[in-house]
Amino acid sequence: YSASGIVIDVGSNIKNFKRGDRAACTGIDVANHAEFIVVPENLAVKVPKSLSLKEASTVALGSVAMQGVRRCDPKIGEVIVVIGLGIIGQLSVQLLKLSGCYVIGTDIDKERISRAVKIGLDKGFDAEDPNITEEVIRNTSGYGADSVIITASSKDNGIINQAIKMSRKKGRIVVVGDVNLTIDRDEFYEKELDLLISTSYGPGRYDEKYEKKGFDYPYAYVRWTENRNMSGYLNLLSKSKINTGILIDNTLTVDSASAAYDMLKGG
């Protein structure tokens, strides 16, 4: 659901694109892995001249991370925990560092932690360490994290309740990943935490009028729609504020697509 390429034709009512433009696009059933795709205008953005199509093809992943960070509403100097250092987590770490935050990350994969440290993570901990909550509390002068962003995926309720324990009183928990939300109410209540869901690329997602029919939201009232998140992410990429190169392990041709999926299935 994330792609980039060259515009070969446009509809009669399309004003922002012309043939030959370089575009990046998002959307399940839209940004398919295919030679030719048809994309609604609000799910596509122009690629800055200084940015390669290869980097721009990460636009959906970057927009998901950006929306999660926006929901977190980070302030300069805050301590933020990112649970799960897959691609979305790695991009979230970089966006939080750009926001002036001290970032702690956790993952079950030590290599992912090491990679995140190279791109700015301040502290990384093994998610299976039984003392991980104490480590977060110790690294926040005993208060707990200002916010916890969950970019991991899990069927049990361990992650959400771990996030509660890591949080300071009146802190925020932002759920980006697919996790069970069975909450330990007592501690959640006592700390008076905010639980926020981040919906994919941002405002406009799942709204058919916005995504398929091209109706935009007023700029003054919805500053960061999913399309504007896409543009904002590509702008940061074009200025080398975000490093995607360190996240790429392999580049394969289309003819090798089957092998690529086999690699993913194999872990």
Side-chain angles (χ1 to χ4, degrees):
Y1 55 88
S2 191
S4 63
I6 308 296
V7 176
I8 60 170
D9 208 350
V10 297
S12 58
N13 293 322
I14 301 301
K15 303 293 189 293
N16 295 321
F17 293 92
K18 64 182 185 301
R19 293 181 184 181
D21 282 345
R22 300 187 315 145
C25 53
T26 65
I28 294 172
D29 296 329
V30 172
N32 297 314
H33 296 173
E35 188 174 0
F36 300 102
I37 56 178
V38 180
V39 185
E41 190 169 22
N42 278 349
L43 293 180
V45 293
K46 288 184 179 179
V47 176
K49 292 181 180 179
S50 60
L51 190 64
S52 72
L53 287 177
K54 180 178 179 180
E55 292 175 292
S57 70
T58 64
V59 65
L61 301 166
S63 301
V64 171
M66 182 170 280
Q67 179 62 14
V69 170
R70 289 199 193 288
R71 292 287 281 163
C72 169
D73 191 24
K75 305 293 192 300
I76 294 173
E78 285 191 331
V79 180
I80 315 292
V81 174
V82 177
I83 298 179
L85 296 173
I87 295 176
I88 304 298
Q90 300 277 348
L91 293 172
S92 299
V93 167
Q94 295 184 65
L95 290 167
L96 290 165
K97 292 303 296 181
L98 287 174
S99 302
C101 299
Y102 183 93
V103 187
I104 299 171
T106 76
D107 200 278
I108 58 175
D109 186 334
K110 292 181 180 179
E111 193 279 330
R112 287 182 176 183
I113 296 172
S114 176
R115 196 178 304 212
V117 169
K118 292 177 182 177
I119 53 176
L121 185 72
D122 293 289
K123 287 279 186 180
F125 298 110
D126 184 340
E128 295 179 327
D129 183 344
N131 299 315
I132 190 169
T133 299
E134 288 73 15
E135 289 286 0
V136 171
I137 300 301
R138 187 174 62 81
N139 277 271
T140 54
S141 302
Y143 293 107
D146 295 291
S147 295
V148 179
I149 299 180
I150 300 173
T151 51
S153 177
S154 177
K155 298 300 182 183
D156 64 41
N157 62 356
I159 289 180
I160 187 67
N161 288 307
Q162 183 183 72
I164 290 171
K165 293 182 182 301
M166 290 177 174
S167 300
R168 67 168 171 84
K169 287 187 176 182
K170 299 184 181 295
R172 302 176 296 275
I173 298 173
V174 180
V175 179
V176 179
D178 183 7
V179 294
N180 186 305
L181 295 178
T182 304
I183 291 171
D184 179 355
R185 185 185 183 280
D186 288 347
E187 188 167 4
F188 189 82
Y189 169 79
E190 288 170 8
K191 287 185 173 181
E192 200 175 16
L193 301 174
D194 290 334
L195 178 64
L196 304 169
I197 300 293
S198 180
T199 305
S200 196
Y201 325 118
R205 187 72 181 108
Y206 306 114
D207 180 347
E208 187 170 318
K209 289 183 178 179
Y210 178 91
E211 292 194 327
K212 294 185 177 180
K213 297 183 179 179
F215 290 97
D216 198 4
Y217 297 153
Y219 188 95
Y221 296 96
V222 187
R223 175 63 182 90
W224 293 105
T225 59
E226 64 179 303
N227 187 274
R228 293 193 267 272
N229 271 340
M230 292 163 64
S231 291
Y233 171 71
L234 293 188
N235 183 52
L236 290 173
L237 266 185
S238 70
K239 295 178 179 178
S240 300
K241 300 289 187 181
I242 295 175
N243 181 352
T244 58
I246 195 171
L247 306 179
I248 299 172
D249 290 331
N250 273 298
T251 302
L252 295 94
T253 65
V254 174
D255 293 336
S256 302
S258 295
Y261 283 104
D262 286 341
M263 287 168 56
L264 293 172
K265 290 176 184 176

